[in-house]
Amino acid sequence: MSYDFEKIYINGQWVDSDSGEFIEVENPATLEHFARVPDGNANDIDRAAQAAHAALAAWSAVPLQERIVLMKKMLKLFESYQDQIVELEVKELGSPVEFATESHCLYQYTRTRSYIEAAESLVLEKSLPLSQVYREPIGVVGCITPWNYPLGQVVQKVIPAILMGNTVILKPSQHTPLTCYLLVDAFDKAGFPAGVINLVTGRGSKVGDAIASHPLVNMVSFTGSTRVGIQLSQRALESLKHISLELGGKSPFIWLPMKDYAPAVSKLFSSIFLNSGQTCTAFSRLLVPEQDLEKVKATLLAHVGEYTVGDPTDSRNKLGPLSSKAQFEKVASYIRLGLEEGATLLSGEIPTDCSKGYYVKPTIFTNVKNSMRIAREEIFGPVLCVITYKDVEEAIAIANDTPYGLNAAVYGPKDEAMAVARRIQAGNVYINDAPRDVLAPFGGYKQSGIGREGGVAGLLEFTQLKAIFNHSSY
C-alpha cells in the first residue's frame, strides 16, 4: 500500500496545501530524505477549521453508540496497517523494529480499544434534585502532537475527542508525520463524515499558532515541551479556548534500601533508554541510598551493556538513533554540561560524530547534585542522573524538588513504597514492577501540564458541562 504524503486531508478529501511548499522527512538512522509532506499555512488551517465547524452540529448529534460503531470499524481497518506502521516508525523515528511494533503500534491499538470500551459505559447525563446535568462536546479541537511517539499522542487526543462528538484538526510533528496519514486513511475508509477529522502538516510556528488563534477552534490539546506549551496556551487563552497540555518531566525513581537492586534495573533502563530516552515520562533521576552507592553502580554497570545501540532494522539493537540532528546536538551539549558541572560519567560518552546516524550511547552520570542543570532540565535523551540520599525523608524532598510532576516510581517493600508514593508530587507513580493501567488518568502536576488523558478522564477532557434547571411548577 502506498500513500501520497504530499497532500493534506480537509473536509473528507486529500487536497493540495495552499502553500505549495514541502518539508523533507529524514530517516535519522541513514540521514536519507525519503518522503516529504506539505509545509502547511494559516490558509490551510482556515479551510480545516471551516470544515470542522460545518461538520460539528451533525456529528455531535450522532448518538454515542453510533459513534462507537464507526470507531470500531476504523480500528479494524487501522489494525490491518500494522506492517506499514512499523515500517514507517522505523524510518521516520529510527525506532528499533521490536519497540516500534510493541509500543508505537500494538499499544496504540490497545489505547484505542480502551477508549471505545470506556465510552460504551460512559454516563453523559445525571439527574440532580432540581436539574439535569449534561456532558456535551466542546466543539472544534485542535490537536498538536509531538515527534517522539508519532501515533501515541495522536491516539490520546483524536480518538476520545471524536468519540465525544467533537470535530478535529490534527497537526502532527513535522519530523514524524507519516503514520498519521495511515490513521486518517482508516478514518476515511471507515466512513466518518467529511470534516470530522482534518489533517494539516507543517511547522508549529505557522500551523500550530494558526490553530491556537483561529476563532472557530474551541479547544487546543497539545503535547510537547513546557516552553512551547506555555506559548501556545497564552495564544489560545487570548480567545478563552479550552486548553489541555501534556508537557515535560524530570521524573524521579526512588530505590528504597534493599539487599539486591538488580530487580529494579529493567523498569529503570526501559524507561530512560528505550525510545532513545525520548519519552516525557522517562525516569531520568535515580535516587539511591548513599550507603549503597557502590553496590548500585556495580548493578547498573552489570546491565547497561544489554541496551545495545545501532541500526534499528537489526533486531539485536534495543536503541536506535535520536530523532534529528538538533536533538543529537542538544543531548551531546547536556552530556558536556554534566561533566562541566562536576558529575562523573559511569557509562557512555560525549557523542561527536553523527555522519552515519544520530546515535547516542546509554549515558549514566554519578556524583550528581539535584541543583545541577542536568538534574533539573529535561534532556530528552538516554541520560540518567544518579543522586544519593541519606534517608527516606531526603529522598522524598529531592524527588519533589523539581518544577515538573509528570511521573515517578518507587521500588522497595510494597507498603513502604506505597507510603512514599503518596507523598510524591506527580500525576503518576509506579510501585515496583507494576505495569501502566491504560484506563487510569494520565497527566502531570506543576509544569508538567493541565488536564488528563486515558480512560474515562481522557474522554471527559473533551466535554463541557451544562446544567438545565427543569423542576418548575409549570
Side-chain angles (χ1 to χ4, degrees), residues 14 192 242 303 313 377 414 430:
W14 293 101
F192 277 77
H242 292 251
H303 293 277
T313 64
E377 300 176 10
K414 188 172 182 179
Y430 290 82

Side-chain angles (χ1 to χ4, degrees), residues 127-394:
S127 296
L128 296 179
L130 297 176
S131 64
Q132 291 290 115
V133 179
Y134 299 88
R135 287 275 185 176
E136 295 187 343
I138 290 175
V140 177
V141 180
C143 299
I144 303 172
T145 59
W147 49 262
N148 60 320
Y149 283 85
L151 278 178
Q153 293 303 318
V154 171
V155 164
Q156 290 281 67
K157 302 178 188 307
V158 169
I159 304 302
I162 290 177
L163 278 171
M164 290 297 94
N166 302 279
T167 56
V168 163
I169 305 167
L170 169 62
K171 191 214 89 69
S173 167
Q174 69 197 59
H175 301 292
T176 55
L178 302 182
T179 47
C180 292
Y181 278 76
L182 278 65
L183 177 64
V184 172
D185 183 69
F187 271 101
D188 181 78
K189 287 184 169 57
F192 277 77
V196 169
I197 183 168
N198 304 272
L199 170 70
V200 179
T201 55
R203 303 176 196 278
S205 57
K206 290 193 296 185
V207 178
D209 284 355
I211 288 173
S213 60
H214 198 285
L216 294 181
V217 174
N218 305 105
M219 176 179 180
V220 174
S221 180
F222 170 79
T223 296
S225 72
T226 297
R227 177 184 59 81
V228 175
I230 291 171
Q231 293 172 350
L232 271 176
S233 62
Q234 288 172 337
R235 185 176 292 270
L237 285 172
E238 289 175 359
S239 52
L240 288 180
K241 301 184 193 307
H242 292 251
I243 56 172
S244 179
L245 306 172
E246 199 269 278
L247 306 175
K250 196 68 180 178
S251 301
F253 195 160
I254 298 176
W255 284 3
L256 297 177
M258 294 180 288
K259 291 183 179 179
D260 182 10
Y261 292 98
V265 171
S266 178
K267 192 170 192 69
L268 170 69
F269 279 1
S270 293
S271 173
I272 186 60
F273 293 150
L274 297 187
N275 213 44
S276 296
Q278 300 168 134
T279 303
C280 56
T281 56
F283 300 131
S284 52
R285 292 185 297 146
L286 174 62
L287 280 55
V288 302
E290 185 177 79
Q291 68 273 18
D292 287 345
L293 177 59
E294 294 306 314
K295 185 193 297 186
V296 167
K297 287 163 61 175
T299 302
L300 298 177
L301 284 173
H303 293 277
V304 69
E306 299 166 11
Y307 289 76
T308 50
V309 184
D311 180 358
T313 64
D314 187 335
S315 61
R316 294 172 296 182
N317 293 321
K318 288 191 174 184
L319 280 71
L322 297 181
S323 68
S324 65
K325 185 176 182 180
Q327 192 65 13
F328 175 89
E329 291 175 347
K330 175 187 175 184
V331 173
S333 71
Y334 269 108
I335 296 174
R336 283 193 295 270
L337 174 64
L339 293 173
E340 292 168 4
E341 290 186 303
T344 301
L345 270 180
L346 180 70
S347 176
E349 62 190 22
I350 300 174
T352 56
D353 181 14
C354 62
S355 62
K356 297 181 180 179
Y358 306 123
Y359 295 98
V360 175
K361 294 179 180 179
T363 303
I364 303 174
F365 277 112
T366 59
N367 295 327
V368 177
K369 304 298 182 185
N370 203 51
S371 58
M372 293 178 178
R373 285 180 58 194
I374 59 168
R376 303 197 68 77
E377 300 176 10
E378 188 174 40
I379 298 173
F380 227 59
V383 181
L384 174 66
C385 294
V386 180
I387 303 170
T388 60
Y389 64 85
K390 292 181 173 63
D391 55 35
V392 171
E393 289 299 317
E394 185 181 28

Side-chain angles (χ1 to χ4, degrees), residues 82-83 85-87 89-90 95-111 113 149 151-152 274-275:
Q82 178 179 332
D83 290 346
I85 292 170
V86 172
E87 179 183 0
E89 294 295 19
V90 173
S95 177
V97 173
E98 181 180 355
F99 194 79
T101 302
E102 295 298 326
S103 295
H104 291 296
C105 183
L106 297 181
Y107 187 58
Q108 307 318 319
Y109 298 155
T110 298
R111 273 178 163 163
R113 281 192 295 272
Y149 283 85
L151 278 178
L274 297 187
N275 213 44

Side-chain angles (χ1 to χ4, degrees), residues 42-89:
N43 289 337
D44 295 326
I45 292 301
D46 183 59
R47 288 191 291 161
Q50 297 286 349
H53 180 73
L56 180 62
W59 178 244
S60 63
V62 173
L64 176 57
Q65 292 306 315
E66 292 183 25
R67 298 198 294 262
I68 289 171
V69 169
L70 268 178
M71 193 65 77
K72 287 181 176 178
K73 185 177 180 182
M74 186 286 298
L75 176 58
K76 187 173 182 180
L77 286 163
F78 196 42
E79 287 175 325
S80 71
Y81 299 167
Q82 178 179 332
D83 290 346
Q84 295 97 314
I85 292 170
V86 172
E87 179 183 0
L88 286 175
E89 294 295 19

